[in-house]
Amino acid sequence: MKEKILQIENLSIAFSVGGEILPAVDSLSFSVSKGEILAIVGESGCGKTVSCLSFARLLPEPPTIYTSGSIIFPTGTSAGKNILSMSAREIRKIRGKKISYVFQEPSVSLNPVFRIYDQIAEVICLRDDEADDVREEVIYLLSKVGIPDPASKMKAYPHELSGGMQQRAMIAMALAGKPDLLVADEPTTALDVTIQAQILELIKNIRDESGMAVIIVTHNLGIVSEMADNVMVMYAGHLVEKGPASDIAKSPLHPYTKALISAVPQFGHEMEKLNTIPGTVPSPSKYPKGCRFYGRCSLADSLGHDEKRLCAENIPILHETKARFCRCHYSK
Ligand SMILES: Nc1ncnc2c1ncn2[C@@H]1O[C@H](COP(=O)(O)OP(=O)(O)OP(=O)(O)O)[C@@H](O)[C@H]1O
Ligand code: SF4
Ligand SMILES: [Mg+2]
């Protein structure tokens, strides 16, 4: 079995807003191993970004409150520590180096007033303050992410590059820290289909070469089936199903996963654009008492009165069956 790199145990994240505590992510437990690509899917507002940002403690505190749990990184070695109890200095050593991020918008990571070269070189020097051949390394990274003529492109400011090239430069910057874990939050949503495919292929190739782990958030179930080893489905701040991507595509267990897949005529299209699941995701201030999918769940609709009451009043626990995890009273 592969060595685990990140272990999340019973993690709950809330926001303190106007005197109210809003639970955005609840009782999240999962792990990622070296070389694994884990996809996180779920509709808008389900807690995908909040979860991802917590791994390197990037959420602003306040309003963020970690109400329970631990984020152990890296696991498997004696160096594993809880990110939630690290000092700011310890976290700075991890952020952008051991755990790197790629976002939908390159402008979140790329600074408009510095040339691409300076930004990537800075990450290299932070990783290794004795690095020589920084220039060669920047050129190597830019060519690796498919930027043509990297020696001249590295002199550009971000706005002088196209959206696809900016996204590649951001990936080069993320890779410059030689991360053990790359977190990519909808890295290709803003790009056209051809560039999307190239960038995903690139991330996969780098994973193959370096053995880094990848967590990728996506609305595109095609990406899940093409590149992910495992998939984690989130609904209203809960992990509702997790397992091997191929098993989940073939035989989803949770009614929400089934609804997501059947909302997409072929497993391979954007789910949001074709969203046909009736109803909406409840907001954290309106989470129901029992199962959060109750009210939209077709399985619950088919149940008798007493069975429905269990759904309405009791939060289902996450059951483990073989390599699958499912949070439902009736689908296990
Ligand atoms: N700073 C914040 N203060 C209060 N609530 C927040 C804050 N950030 C996120 N939330 C809430 O947390 C919940 C989860 O948000 P998150 O951004 O993780 O969703 P998501 O699954 O990434 O959605 P999308 O697919 O639209 O990116 C949402 O209800 C959101 O409104
Ligand atoms: S616990 Fe009930 S409402 Fe929730 S997913 Fe299962 S059947 Fe549906
Ligand atoms: Mg998001």
Side-chain angles (χ1 to χ4, degrees):
M1 212 159 97
K2 285 199 167 163
E3 194 182 313
K4 284 179 189 168
I5 186 104
L6 177 76
Q7 174 103 39
I8 309 289
E9 277 297 340
N10 196 30
L11 179 67
S12 298
I13 306 166
F15 295 105
S16 166
V17 180
E20 240 189 301
I21 304 292
L22 303 176
V25 171
D26 232 351
S27 321
L28 183 63
S29 297
F30 72 94
S31 63
V32 184
S33 301
K34 279 190 175 170
E36 175 182 344
I37 299 185
L38 171 71
I40 306 183
V41 301
E43 289 162 289
S44 191
C46 284
K48 305 180 298 293
T49 296
V50 166
S51 302
C52 286
L53 292 176
S54 74
F55 306 151
R57 209 120 163 228
L58 283 171
L59 293 161
E61 300 170 41
T64 310
I65 307 168
Y66 292 94
T67 47
S68 76
S70 57
I71 301 171
I72 308 293
F73 175 87
T75 58
T77 65
S78 54
K81 276 187 108 176
N82 183 1
I83 286 192
L84 296 182
S85 35
M86 280 184 190
S87 65
R89 196 161 160 263
E90 285 176 298
I91 291 167
R92 273 200 301 275
K93 283 191 192 158
I94 287 180
R95 218 181 260 160
K97 293 160 210 131
K98 304 276 180 209
I99 305 180
S100 291
Y101 284 81
V102 174
F103 298 100
Q104 182 177 339
E105 265 300 310
S107 58
V108 176
S109 301
L110 295 177
N111 189 325
V113 302
F114 293 109
R115 294 177 196 274
I116 298 295
Y117 172 83
D118 296 320
Q119 303 192 46
I120 298 176
E122 187 188 2
V123 178
I124 295 170
C125 296
L126 280 171
R127 182 197 80 215
D128 176 4
D129 54 14
E130 287 172 15
D132 35 47
D133 298 336
V134 173
R135 187 175 180 277
E136 277 65 35
E137 193 169 340
V138 173
I139 292 174
Y140 169 76
L141 284 164
L142 290 176
S143 62
K144 196 165 181 64
V145 297
I147 294 189
D149 191 12
S152 79
K153 285 285 190 315
M154 70 183 182
K155 294 177 196 150
Y157 289 95
H159 75 271
E160 293 173 319
L161 301 178
S162 67
M165 287 296 149
Q166 285 183 23
Q167 198 72 352
R168 285 165 194 262
M170 176 165 58
I171 295 173
M173 198 163 105
L175 296 173
K178 297 204 174 146
D180 296 323
L181 172 65
L182 180 74
V183 183
D185 190 352
E186 302 200 45
T188 59
T189 307
L191 302 172
D192 75 48
V193 178
T194 323
I195 316 257
Q196 277 192 25
Q198 289 170 1
I199 300 238
L200 295 169
E201 189 62 27
L202 172 73
I203 293 177
K204 209 172 160 190
N205 289 344
I206 294 165
R207 181 284 304 260
D208 292 345
E209 278 172 32
S210 69
M212 72 179 178
V214 179
I215 295 179
I216 182 163
V217 174
T218 180
H219 281 254
N220 186 325
L221 293 177
I223 292 178
V224 176
S225 57
E226 275 160 37
M227 76 181 282
D229 301 305
N230 291 301
V231 56
M232 178 164 116
V233 184
M234 290 191 74
Y235 184 76
H238 272 156
L239 190 175
V240 297
E241 183 162 4
K242 180 175 181 270
S246 50
D247 293 358
I248 289 189
K250 268 190 259 134
S251 57
L253 290 176
H254 195 281
Y256 179 59
T257 317
K258 289 182 186 169
L260 273 183
I261 291 175
S262 62
V264 183
Q266 289 162 322
F267 198 65
H269 288 76
E270 292 275 328
M271 64 186 174
E272 213 183 34
K273 288 182 190 153
L274 296 162
N275 184 7
T276 54
I277 306 172
T280 50
V281 183
S283 68
S285 58
K286 298 203 174 70
Y287 283 157
K289 184 174 163 213
C291 176
R292 292 182 182 169
F293 195 47
Y294 186 67
R296 296 179 82 191
C297 177
S298 55
L299 174 57
D301 286 346
S302 68
L303 298 172
H305 180 265
D306 288 347
E307 293 164 306
K308 265 187 195 161
R309 224 172 60 197
L310 183 64
C311 298
E313 294 187 0
N314 292 12
I315 295 180
I317 58 162
L318 196 66
H319 293 277
E320 183 176 4
T321 344
K322 294 180 189 154
R324 301 279 282 277
F325 293 84
C326 180
R327 189 188 285 279
C328 172
H329 292 303
Y330 297 104
S331 299
K332 290 172 189 169

